[in-house]
Every structure is written in C-alpha cells, then in structure tokens.
Amino acid sequence: MLAVLGGLWTLFLLINTIVLLVRGEAPLPIWNYSMTLVLTAETALLLAGGIMLFRKKPAGRLLVVIGSILVLLSYVAGIIVGALGVTTTGGTITGMAYGGIIAGFLLVGAPPIATLVLALIPPTKRYLNPPR
C-alpha cells in the first residue's frame, strides 16, 4: 500500500513538473527536464511494484526496492543541487539552512525509507513465497 501511495505522490510531482515546463515557469528547465525522466521511472516502478505486491508477485518486491532507492537518490540530488548554489536566486545554502535541510530530508525521506525497509524485511518475502 505504501508503495502505491508513493507512486501516486511521484505521479503528482511528475504532473506538476510538466505543468511548470509547459507554462514556462520552471525555475531550472534543464533540472526539470531531467526530473521528468526520473519521476516517470519512479512512478512506473512504485506503482507497478505495489500492484505486483498486492497480487503476490515476487518481482514486485524488486521494483519497489529500486523505486524507493531512486526516490531517495533524487532527494539527495536535489539537496546537492541546492547546496551548489544552482537556484533561481543564484544564492547558496548557508550553514544555518543545513539543519533545516537534514530535518526536511528526514521528514520527506521517511516514506520511501519505510517503503524500502518494508519491502526488504523477511515477512514480505514470506508473504510473497508462502510455504507449499
């Protein structure tokens, strides 16, 4: 269930990014174009994997793990881009803001981390491969 919710969230982000690009309001068009590809992959992996888990298909577990890792990597990439000063205002992140970034990452990163952990734990494997 968490993987499907994550997939729906990334689908929302994908639609939002496309709308920004179409309207010409994207602050970093190159970043947003690359993020559309990443968000498309995240959406496909999490939704397909989540549905496959509902249907007790072992391959769904792998798709959810890959999708969750991709989400976490995209969050880290966003933090790095911001830290390098690639922003609309041309400013860089100050030392004071790093605490907020870490707290924000933990808050936003909690669902994909939970999804990853739940996909990897042994009870999920047992659920997908019941004893015969």
Side-chain angles (χ1 to χ4, degrees):
M1 181 68 173
L2 197 54
V4 173
L5 289 175
L8 292 174
W9 174 249
T10 58
L11 179 62
F12 168 76
L13 294 176
L14 175 63
I15 293 169
N16 187 34
T17 302
I18 291 170
V19 168
L20 285 175
L21 287 168
V22 169
R23 288 184 177 173
E25 299 172 359
L28 297 167
I30 293 172
W31 172 257
N32 288 88
Y33 283 120
S34 63
M35 283 310 295
T36 56
L37 297 174
V38 173
L39 287 168
T40 301
E42 291 173 2
T43 301
L45 288 166
L46 289 173
L47 285 178
I51 291 168
M52 290 174 76
L53 286 176
F54 283 139
R55 300 192 66 218
K56 293 190 174 187
K57 305 285 183 183
R61 184 176 181 211
L62 179 63
L63 293 179
V64 168
V65 167
I66 294 170
S68 297
I69 291 171
L70 189 58
V71 168
L72 291 169
L73 289 176
S74 67
Y75 289 164
V76 170
I79 291 170
I80 291 170
V81 166
L84 292 175
V86 185
T87 63
T88 56
T89 59
T92 59
I93 296 174
T94 63
M96 183 79 140
Y98 278 113
I101 290 170
I102 292 169
F105 178 76
L106 292 176
L107 182 66
V108 175
I113 291 170
T115 304
L116 179 64
V117 169
L118 289 172
L120 291 174
I121 59 175
T124 304
K125 186 175 182 180
R126 285 194 300 270
Y127 166 77
L128 296 171
N129 301 313
R132 296 179 194 245

